[in-house]
């Protein structure tokens, strides 16, 4: 064992003894003897390390019984017929109701039921069902009928009902009978053991750590190209496509695999030795010499983190090259410790510096060639691009929902030194996957809509990691701008940006996990009547995770599962449909998803003609922003078709035709984006006006309206600054609501009408109250005079 390894283990031992890590009660290593691991692994002497976490070493957490949906039982006659009534006598329903209610009120029965998994909620639901069953069934099972008859006649004790009550409770709550099995299936504490093939080989893990534009990915890719076989796993289709082209240009045959695309360099379709893929699509069963996992810090992503965990623990490669932020080093070392693998760290420094300017831009009149204005709202992009072109400047536009081809086209336009377009307006989509020649990054806002662990959307200040990722796009080593600059559009945001960039990135502490199709199928075997959404809810509520892991957000999965619950599909197909990457905010995409599932359930292939009828193809060029948004939605629908076609090839047969149509649509969208200013002018004037109202902040003209972050951050500047902030917020509230998609122009106009009407009504009521008060005062005076 190396000296470095000994020192590392000693530091870990000291840390586990330290009170700061009291959550870990012990860390012990054991040689697996074959519950999940293969015999090959055991023979190889593979050591698997398991951390005992205090929260898991105690008794398992109680299940969330609010998720337990009772199964409805058939109320037809029992198999015994009327044997019970023949052996005893018919039951008096009124007397039976009294007996059952007495049984329900007995504390002893409630306690006994709780010991068998029926808490107060389940006990109440089970009793309601049992009482209804006993009173409404035309003939009860013979044994239950005899017991109830004996109790009614005074020959039995009321507690004798309990076994029959529990039998009924387990029929309507089948999970009570298999809770131990369900807990075992949902035990996620040692995910390293899910990948026996990876544990059977000795892997070398190399971490390339550094900021953006430091060359970390370049060094990993050089090793990838030199290997006999390799796989590149990236977070975006654009990144996978870049490595695909770079590899084939270098003379290394490489295939491309994304959720919607399979491209084989071999004309006969034989797999190449190298493959570039999106991380969700990597194979954990194919052996490689080298694997590259890019942007490892995304292992903590609340929605997609599971894909990085799966790749890191499961890839069967002799060398695993990890690229990402230095903040992930300690966590990756700790994670690899659970697999018995050491981590070799290579650190890199940024190749070109970037400087934070001491002044904000404050006006679009001060823009220079090579500027990129970063917004966190699509409507901000529409507004700013219109204002820029109104000044006689051309600008490129890039945001997340644009097709990859359109993004590349806009990036090429901006990078071309011979093109008059020298300004870029973009969202944080530029943070990854695009090579751009940017001199200066200008943050239009520092507030970004985000989704928390509960799936709730809220506005929050961008993190240090996000700010560095975006700022790092300024001054690229391979571009004509060797030194970059970073600033803000608004003066109040600049000190906040400096503070954000001066902070160290929070270290990564947990990695994401996600229930697999096999685990859900095992759950469904025990709970055959539960819906898929309910199965996943119960799985997550029962799941036990090590302190290093968390279960990823499953709200999108459940949203799709609930949408197609009424459609008859087998469980595996239903699961695959629900993992489709669609934008649930797009009504047209959701409607298409529903139609796809319905057509699939009828066993009718979704042909090219069928899809064309659904999307009204061919489509014309967009005339306004609404048309452009619809075209983007249609592009997403075609993406969905391609994604499903690689899972159900027989049912989605016309992949080539759909891909050709998508290319044509991409060209139409590119035309629309190139003429985006004209589209904005053609859009409802209410939107254009609300988006383009110039800000009068700090007395500047030509600035950007209503930055959320600036309004948000000026409220700590004393009474005067606070008053100014409130006024600014009031003036820009309507535009921000429209911009964030929380209010449509029609609703805005309706609210304005109602507000005006309400103000008039309030004024009328106030006048009436004043007259009434005046009358009362006059009457009081007359009364006092009369009294005198």
């Amino acid at each position: 064992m190396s000296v470095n390894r000994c020192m590392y283990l000693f530091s870990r031992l000291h840390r586990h003894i330290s009170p700061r890590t009291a959550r870990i009660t012990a860390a012990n290593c054991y040689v697996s003897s074959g519950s999940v691991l293969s015999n090959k692994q055991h023979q190889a002497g593979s050591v698997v390390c398991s951390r005992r976490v205090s929260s898991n070493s105690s008794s398992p957490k109680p299940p969330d019984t609010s998720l337990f949906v009772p199964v409805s039982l058939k109320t037809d006659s029992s198999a015994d017929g009327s044997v019970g009534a023949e052996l005893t006598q018919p039951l008096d329903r009124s007397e039976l109701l009294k007996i059952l209610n007495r049984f329900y009120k007995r504390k002893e029965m409630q306690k006994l039921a709780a010991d068998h998994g029926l808490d107060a909620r389940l006990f109440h639901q089970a009793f309601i069902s049992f009482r209804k069953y006993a009173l409404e069934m035309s003939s009860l099972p013979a044994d239950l009928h005899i017991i109830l008859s004996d109790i009614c006649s005074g020959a039995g004790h009321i507690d004798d009902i309990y076994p029959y009550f529990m039998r009924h409770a387990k029929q309507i709550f089948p999970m009570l009978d298999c809770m131990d099995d369900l807990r075992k299936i949902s035990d996620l504490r040692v995910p390293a053991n899910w990948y026996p093939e990876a544990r059977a080989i000795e892997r070398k893990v190399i971490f390339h750590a550094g900021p953006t534009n430091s060359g970390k990915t370049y060094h990993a890719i050089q090793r990838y190209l030199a290997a006999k076989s390799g796989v590149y796993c990236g977070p975006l289709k654009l990144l996978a496509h870049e490595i695909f082209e770079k590899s084939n240009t270098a003379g290394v045959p490489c295939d491309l695999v994304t959720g919607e695309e399979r491209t084989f360099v071999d004309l006969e379709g034989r797999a190449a030795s190298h493959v570039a893929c999106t991380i969700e699509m990597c194979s954990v069963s194919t052996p490689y010499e080298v694997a590259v996992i890019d942007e490892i810090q995304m292992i903590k992503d609340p929605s997609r983190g599971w894909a990085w965990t799966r790749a890191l623990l499961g890839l069967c490669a002799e060398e695993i090259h990890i690229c990402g932020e230095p903040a992930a080093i300690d966590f990756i070392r700790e994670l690899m410790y659970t697999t018995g693998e050491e981590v070799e760290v290579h650190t890199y420094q940024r190749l070109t510096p970037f400087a934070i300017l001491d002044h904000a831009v404050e006006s679009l009149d001060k823009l220079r060639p090579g500027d990129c204005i970063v917004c966190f709202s699509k409507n901000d992009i529409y507004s700013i691009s219109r204002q820029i072109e109104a000044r006689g400047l051309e600008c490129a536009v890039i945001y997340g929902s644009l097709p990859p081809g359109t993004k590349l086209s806009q990036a090429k336009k901006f990078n071309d030194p011979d093109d008059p377009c020298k300004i870029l307006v973009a969202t944080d989509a530029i943070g990854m996957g695009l090579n751009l020649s940017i001199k200066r990054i200008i943050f239009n806002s520092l507030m970004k809509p985000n989704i928390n662990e509960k799936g709730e959307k809220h506005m929050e200040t961008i993190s240090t990691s996000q700010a560095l990722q975006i700022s790092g796009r300024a001054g690229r080593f391979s571009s004509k701008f060797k030194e970059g600059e970073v600033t803000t559009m608004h003066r109040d945001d600049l000190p906040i940006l400096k503070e954000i960039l001066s902070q160290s990135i929070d270290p990564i502490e947990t990695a994401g996990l996600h229930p697999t199709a096999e685990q859900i199928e095992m759950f469904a075997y025990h709970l055959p009547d539960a819906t898929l959404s309910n199965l996943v809810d119960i799985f997550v509520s029962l799941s036990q995770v090590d302190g290093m892991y968390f279960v990823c957000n499953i709200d999108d999965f459940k949203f799709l599962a609930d949408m197609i619950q009424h459609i008859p599909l087998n469980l595996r197909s239903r699961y695959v449909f629900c993992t489709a990457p669609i934008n649930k905010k797009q009504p047209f995409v959701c409607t298409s998803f529903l139609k796809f599932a319905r057509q699939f359930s009828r066993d009718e292939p979704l042909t090219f003609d069928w899809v064309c009828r659904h999307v009204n193809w061919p489509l014309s060029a967009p005339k306004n922003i609404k048309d452009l948004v619809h075209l983007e939605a249609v592009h997403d629908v075609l993406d969905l078709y391609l994604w499903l076609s690689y899972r159900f090839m027989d049912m989605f047969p016309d992949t080539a035709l759909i891909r050709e149509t998508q290319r044509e649509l991409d060209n139409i969208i590119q035309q629309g984006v190139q003429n985006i200013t004209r589209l904005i002018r053609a859009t409802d004037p209410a939107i254009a006006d609300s988006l383009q109202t110039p800000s009068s902040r700090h007395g500047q003209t030509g600035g950007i309206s209503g930055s959320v972050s600036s309004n948000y951050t000026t409220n700590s500047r004393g009474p005067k600054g606070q008053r100014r902030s409130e006024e600014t917020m009031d003036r820009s509230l309507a535009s921000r609501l429209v911009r964030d998609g929380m209010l449509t122009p029609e609703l805005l106009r309706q609210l304005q009408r109602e507000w005006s009407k309400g103000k008039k009504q309030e004024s009328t009521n106030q006048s009436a109250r004043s007259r009434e008060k005046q009358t009362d005062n006059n009457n009081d005076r007359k009364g006092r005079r009369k009294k005198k």
Side-chain angles (χ1 to χ4, degrees), residues 24 28 95 114 122 129 180 197 272 320 324 400 424 433 451 512 531 644 670 691 695 703-704 709 720 726 761:
I24 304 173
N28 67 314
E95 185 64 26
L122 295 186
S129 177
D180 290 340
E197 293 90 348
I320 307 287
L424 175 63
I451 297 175
T531 65
L644 290 167
Q670 286 182 38
L691 291 174
S695 172
I704 308 303
S709 65
K720 186 177 179 180
E726 290 170 355
Q761 184 65 38

Side-chain angles (χ1 to χ4, degrees), residues 622-684:
K623 298 176 182 177
N624 50 44
I625 291 296
K626 183 179 178 182
D627 290 348
L628 180 61
V629 171
H630 178 69
L631 291 179
E632 292 169 7
V634 173
H635 193 281
D636 287 348
V637 170
L638 300 184
D639 256 351
L640 174 62
Y641 182 99
L642 294 172
W643 190 92
L644 290 167
S645 71
Y646 290 110
R647 279 92 182 154
F648 308 106
M649 294 184 182
D650 295 340
M651 298 300 294
F652 296 83
D654 295 333
T655 306
L657 292 171
I658 293 293
R659 192 172 301 285
E660 181 61 33
T661 302
Q662 195 178 43
R663 277 193 285 267
E664 293 179 32
L665 178 59
D666 202 336
N667 292 331
I668 296 173
I669 294 174
Q670 286 182 38
Q671 294 173 18
V673 173
Q674 287 170 4
N675 299 315
I676 196 164
T677 303
R678 180 176 56 79
L679 301 186
I680 296 171
R681 288 196 207 101
T683 307
D684 190 335

Side-chain angles (χ1 to χ4, degrees), residues 147-164:
I147 287 294
L148 293 176
S149 179
D150 288 348
I151 297 172
C152 289
S153 60
H157 194 277
I158 195 170
D159 292 352
D160 295 340
I161 298 175
Y162 180 76
Y164 304 96

Side-chain angles (χ1 to χ4, degrees), residues 306-338:
W306 63 270
W308 276 262
T309 306
R310 173 178 172 270
L312 184 59
L313 297 178
L315 281 170
C316 297
E318 297 170 22
E319 292 181 21
I320 307 287
H321 289 259
I322 305 167
C323 306
E325 296 174 352
I329 293 175
D330 290 342
F331 177 74
I332 297 302
R333 274 184 169 147
E334 193 172 3
L335 200 62
M336 291 296 95
Y337 182 77
T338 67

Side-chain angles (χ1 to χ4, degrees), residues 30 48-50 187-194 338 544 546 549:
Y30 60 90
V48 178
C49 303
S50 171
D187 190 341
L188 309 179
R189 283 176 292 186
V190 193
N193 288 355
W194 301 352
T338 67
Q544 300 178 72
D546 187 303
Y549 299 97

Side-chain angles (χ1 to χ4, degrees), residues 533-558:
S533 178
N534 191 229
L535 282 174
V536 173
D537 270 337
I538 296 174
F539 183 97
V540 173
S541 75
L542 293 177
S543 63
Q544 300 178 72
V545 293
D546 187 303
M548 297 199 309
Y549 299 97
F550 67 93
V551 179
C552 285
N553 190 299
I554 55 170
D555 286 349
D556 288 349
F557 183 95
K558 287 169 53 186

